[in-house]
Amino acid sequence: DIQMTQSPSSLSASVGDRVTITCRASQSIRSYLNWYQQKPGKAPELLIYAASSLQSGVPSRFSGSGSGTDYTFTISSLQPEDFATYYCQQSYSPPRTFGQGTKVEI
Amino acid sequence: QVQLQESGPGLVRPSGTLSLTCGVSGDSVSSSNWWNWVRQPPGKGLEWIGEIHHTGDTYYNPSLASRVTISVDKSKNQFSLKLTSVTAADTAVYYCTNRRIGLDFWGQGTLVTVSS
């Protein structure tokens, strides 16, 4: 199985801050890396797929980058509605494992 | 816009079988998508359970593979999850979702509690 190590597990930030979350795979996943946002009581929402492609309708302040085993998710200017938990997920091979999640708090 | 809706019992007895169905609208289960199940225990992270293609190909999480079956019903445009020999550790919100590259569309999720 491919293990996904996401960091940090939580962070405190303010509106307007730049926020960065990293995800490391235990082997190369060839950019088959997705990022999701989950708010309390809601289903996750796909934000970024294939490491850097923005899902339709998602604001451009969200971005992703990386290749091989190391990936980064960035919110360029944190907005009040962005306080949530973020997960990475590899879709390179089954089981399609998730990272542990990063809770973004005020 | 694809819409998915989970349905099934919210309470399952220990050692019993958890059975959920996901109704699909706005797309066909016979499309090129893969149809997935993901779960989330209360207060914890996301766990991928498995997926199915309309051809019948399936992949399961090895940690659950001995207990899980995912099937598709083309006539009803739905797919299903069965998890046998459940314990309290299987208590979770269960989501159905589709995958093209990422998991694009999700059901609202259904809480299944394992308790006597």
Side-chain angles (χ1 to χ4, degrees):
Chain A
D1 298 3
I2 298 174
Q3 308 304 316
M4 304 302 295
T5 303
Q6 187 175 339
S7 62
S9 57
S10 65
L11 65 89
S12 295
S14 301
V15 173
D17 283 354
R18 182 180 183 89
V19 169
T20 299
I21 300 168
T22 63
C23 196
R24 172 167 288 178
S26 58
Q27 66 185 74
S28 175
I29 54 173
R30 301 181 67 181
S31 297
Y32 283 85
L33 192 283
N34 312 304
W35 292 97
Y36 303 87
Q37 177 192 68
Q38 186 179 33
K39 296 181 179 178
K42 300 294 186 182
E45 177 186 348
L46 178 65
L47 301 180
I48 302 286
Y49 63 94
S52 60
S53 296
L54 195 65
Q55 178 75 338
S56 176
V58 173
S60 59
R61 63 180 180 275
F62 296 101
S63 64
S65 64
S67 62
T69 61
D70 294 321
Y71 299 87
T72 300
F73 172 80
T74 300
I75 308 172
S76 60
S77 178
L78 196 66
Q79 298 302 299
E81 61 268 30
D82 300 337
F83 291 95
T85 301
Y86 294 85
Y87 293 92
C88 63
Q89 184 217 16
Q90 64 84 13
S91 51
Y92 178 67
S93 69
R96 307 196 194 275
T97 38
F98 290 90
Q100 303 95 317
T102 297
K103 187 173 184 179
V104 176
E105 305 174 289
I106 299 174
Chain B
Q1 180 86 349
V2 180
Q3 292 187 315
L4 301 103
Q5 178 68 57
E6 304 90 351
S7 60
L11 178 65
V12 181
R13 304 300 183 194
S15 77
T17 296
L18 181 159
S19 296
L20 296 174
T21 296
C22 182
V24 179
S25 59
D27 195 1
S28 168
V29 293
S30 297
S31 71
S32 59
N33 290 344
W34 287 79
W35 305 96
N36 284 239
W37 289 96
V38 173
R39 71 179 184 178
Q40 185 171 38
K44 296 189 177 180
L46 301 168
E47 179 180 29
W48 184 80
I49 298 172
E51 65 184 4
I52 189 166
H53 193 258
H54 72 87
T55 55
D57 289 343
T58 54
Y59 294 103
Y60 299 132
N61 191 323
S63 67
L64 299 169
S66 63
R67 300 192 291 129
V68 170
T69 302
I70 298 175
S71 58
V72 66
D73 186 335
K74 298 176 187 179
S75 67
K76 295 182 178 178
N77 209 38
Q78 63 186 33
F79 61 106
S80 299
L81 169 71
K82 288 190 187 300
L83 181 66
T84 62
S85 303
V86 297
T87 70
D90 295 310
T91 293
V93 175
Y94 286 76
Y95 295 101
C96 59
T97 174
N98 75 318
R99 180 177 69 82
R100 290 181 289 181
I101 300 177
L103 300 174
D104 300 86
F105 296 100
W106 295 65
Q108 64 186 19
T110 187
L111 174 63
V112 179
T113 301
V114 179
S115 175
S116 55

